[in-house]
Amino acid sequence: MTVMTGGEALVAALAAHGVDVAFGIPGTHNLEIYRHLGAHGVRHVSTRHEQGAGYAADGYARTTGRVGVAIVTSGPALLNAATAVGQAYSDSVPILVVSPGLPLRHPAAGNGLLHETRDQQAVMAAVAAASLRPTSVAEIPTAVAQAFSIMTSGRPRPVHLEVPLDVLAESGEAPDVEPVAAGPLAPPAAAVAAAAALLSDASAPVLLVGGGARTAAAQVRALAERLGALVVTTTNGKGTLPEDHPLALGAGIHLPAVRSLVEEADVVVAVGTELAPADLWYGALPVTGKLVRVDVDPVGMLTNATPTVAVLGDAALALDALLSGLGAGSPAALDASGWRERKAKDAQAEGAEWLDVVAALAAAVPRDVVMATDNAMACYLGTLAGLATHTPASYLFPTGFGTLGFGLPAGIGAKVGNPDRPVVAMLGDGGVMFTVAELATAAELGIALPVVVVDNSGYGEIRNEMAERGDPVHAVTFPAPDFAALGRAVGCLGVTVDLGADGTPADLTAAVRDALAAERPTVIHVRMPHPREGVAR
């Protein structure tokens, strides 16, 4: 037992769990936490908005495999971070958001205390896996250990930890609580045997790989090669199998060619994916009666599609066991070029408007790039299926919850967690305005971060939806600021490439290459040909 304040007990417990960086903003009520960060070796990255802190923690977590931590103050600050927590829940990302809470004996009806919120825990419990509230200094180390157990056991999820104001300030005995490592979940032998038997007789198997397979990249590759199976990934699974591998079809699981491929398959193995509508835009895939599902989440195992064989367990352990059950074999030689061409044509037709942008980026980025993208047309219709990535967790995108403004702060978090790895942030002109203040964060950090803002004059997807419905098209087209000048105003470099005038894709390629080698962030404003209000693109 060591006597310390609640704030120090919290920081010491975080450090004991391996936390050495946190994103956030100090405020009146969380200063007792901030007071102790440096003494316990926790670096702090100051974002300009709490939502940005949450997204940065998310980008850090996705690319490092570690828990991302955001520290915010109470009330409005925590509510600002709630959207980022909801996004992390949707995408199965382990982030911990730490905040103060109302004092233990705060009047039930309230009294107008600064940042007073009636029930912060209820708010956060609605978007996180759990909202924990220790009520004494002695409880704090246990609460931190519980939070890490929740975040790192089974399916990763975000957690909120709230420490009452008076508990942060008071002194008490804080026990040393060791991290609890549950270990990966081993699959049942009977389920593995049933899956192996089904696959042993398969002549045209297909692998559908999601974000839950990020830590099983070697096993995914080995299984694909053992079966001679083509591999398609979800958005979060993109890069798990290098996209230049002969069996890789890349991401874009919603495309018509993938549906045809699945229709012709005799066994479909889905690894670490919900098979969610957010990935399958045009309806569920035809997998009934031939689906082997590998997942660590027993609820997710039965969501969206019922498996013929359910293998509950950690993806790496389950695929290792499945490979052992299959034994050595010689799969028939498979020519994937036809399917690759069909899928590429689908992707090009869907993202025709963005082909020049995608090609320019492909010529500029190195093989190990991390693309931190936003819910922008140029991303989900362009780079998702059109820009190859080759490592797990190399394409960050806000699926499911579908927030805007994710790409810039997520890119910052990815770069903080991977300082020697190239990172590119890519957003639309509408979405970037949600978190544009984080350009100042990136400038302060002095990181080489190309921030590619593709400007199609507003909310292009909603503009199209209005037109397709026959509705009046309004409130979706607007002039963008001069993003290059805005970047320069907060300490970044700024470049404009006007593809609607005399700019060329080669100019964009050069701008991204230069930005990757710069000593600070570069805002690259890509102007697209602009539509008129009321005219769909």
Side-chain angles (χ1 to χ4, degrees):
M1 292 282 189
T2 305
V3 175
M4 58 182 70
T5 68
E8 184 172 13
L10 172 61
V11 176
L14 291 175
H17 281 77
V19 175
D20 57 11
V21 63
F23 304 87
I25 300 177
T28 298
H29 291 162
N30 66 11
L31 294 182
E32 184 59 31
I33 302 172
Y34 273 79
R35 174 185 175 191
H36 300 285
L37 292 176
H40 288 274
V42 180
R43 174 192 178 192
H44 184 263
V45 175
S46 294
T47 59
R48 301 309 191 258
H49 191 279
E50 291 85 6
Q51 194 172 109
Y55 293 148
D58 184 308
Y60 176 93
R62 293 193 201 210
T63 55
T64 64
R66 304 171 64 188
V67 170
V69 177
I71 302 173
V72 302
T73 196
S74 51
L78 180 60
L79 297 186
N80 282 343
T83 299
V85 173
Q87 185 61 64
Y89 187 92
S90 178
D91 282 348
S92 304
V93 181
I95 69 170
L96 176 66
V97 175
V98 178
S99 79
L102 292 174
L104 292 174
R105 297 190 179 279
H106 190 74
N111 65 359
L113 180 71
L114 178 68
H115 300 332
E116 184 180 78
T117 307
R118 286 188 297 157
D119 194 344
Q120 289 188 159
Q121 275 198 284
V123 172
M124 299 308 294
V127 292
S131 179
L132 308 179
R133 179 180 161 97
T135 56
S136 68
V137 174
E139 288 181 59
I140 289 173
T142 298
V144 171
Q146 290 169 337
F148 272 78
S149 294
I150 293 168
M151 290 184 291
T152 59
S153 299
R155 185 174 182 176
R157 296 289 202 187
V159 172
H160 168 235
L161 177 61
E162 171 183 298
V163 183
L165 284 169
D166 46 352
V167 176
L168 281 174
E170 72 182 25
S171 294
E173 291 186 334
D176 293 327
V177 178
E178 293 294 322
V180 178
L185 178 64
V192 172
L198 194 62
L199 285 166
S200 293
D201 295 330
S203 58
V206 170
L207 268 62
L208 306 179
V209 176
R214 285 174 174 168
T215 58
Q219 290 83 0
V220 167
R221 180 171 185 155
L223 183 62
E225 291 174 350
R226 166 63 182 83
L227 296 173
L230 293 180
V231 179
V232 185
T233 73
T234 67
T235 303
N236 285 336
K238 184 174 170 66
T240 301
L241 183 67
E243 293 190 38
D244 56 0
H245 187 282
L247 295 172
L249 296 185
I253 196 171
H254 63 284
L255 293 169
V258 176
R259 175 172 293 277
S260 297
L261 175 68
V262 170
E263 285 176 347
E264 295 186 19
D266 53 0
V267 180
V268 176
V269 182
V271 185
T273 170
E274 291 177 296
L275 298 173
D279 281 307
L280 300 170
W281 307 350
Y282 309 121
L285 292 174
V287 295
T288 302
K290 57 183 179 182
L291 177 62
V292 174
R293 204 157 185 183
V294 178
D295 208 292
V296 75
D297 180 6
V299 175
M301 179 77 78
L302 302 173
T303 301
N304 296 317
T306 302
T308 305
V309 178
V311 182
L312 181 65
D314 171 78
L317 291 183
L319 296 188
D320 275 336
L322 185 53
L323 283 161
S324 178
L326 287 167
S330 300
L334 179 66
D335 181 5
S337 59
W339 286 110
R340 191 173 290 112
E341 289 172 6
R342 288 177 64 177
K343 181 174 171 290
K345 287 179 180 178
D346 287 346
Q348 290 166 5
E350 182 179 71
E353 185 176 359
W354 316 106
L355 292 179
D356 284 348
V357 172
V358 173
L361 288 170
V365 299
R367 184 178 178 82
D368 61 340
V369 70
V370 173
M371 293 294 301
T373 66
D374 208 52
N375 207 346
M377 296 177 77
C379 299
Y380 58 78
L381 296 181
T383 54
L384 171 60
L387 180 67
T389 58
H390 306 289
T391 54
S394 57
Y395 191 85
L396 315 184
F397 182 83
T399 59
F401 212 52
T403 185
L404 288 172
F406 172 85
L408 171 55
I412 292 170
K415 191 66 176 177
V416 168
N418 306 267
D420 297 326
R421 191 170 176 187
V423 179
V424 175
M426 182 178 181
L427 305 91
D429 59 303
V432 73
M433 295 300 290
F434 283 60
T435 53
V436 73
E438 303 309 338
L439 289 174
T441 302
E444 181 186 5
L445 290 169
I447 53 178
L449 180 68
V451 181
V452 181
V453 181
V454 183
D455 176 5
N456 66 337
S457 304
Y459 304 123
E461 178 69 37
I462 310 306
R463 183 164 56 223
N464 289 351
E465 289 182 16
M466 284 180 168
E468 289 164 3
R469 287 164 52 92
D471 294 348
V473 178
H474 66 112
V476 289
T477 301
F478 42 81
D482 183 338
F483 286 111
L486 179 59
R488 290 191 291 268
V490 296
C492 302
L493 301 172
V495 178
T496 299
V497 178
D498 194 340
L499 297 180
D502 57 355
T504 69
D507 296 331
L508 176 55
T509 296
V512 173
R513 285 176 175 165
D514 289 346
L516 285 168
E519 79 289 352
R520 49 183 164 150
T522 304
V523 179
I524 304 172
H525 185 177
V526 183
R527 295 184 182 274
M528 303 295 290
H530 287 188
R532 301 187 306 278
E533 186 73 272
V535 178
R537 294 175 71 87

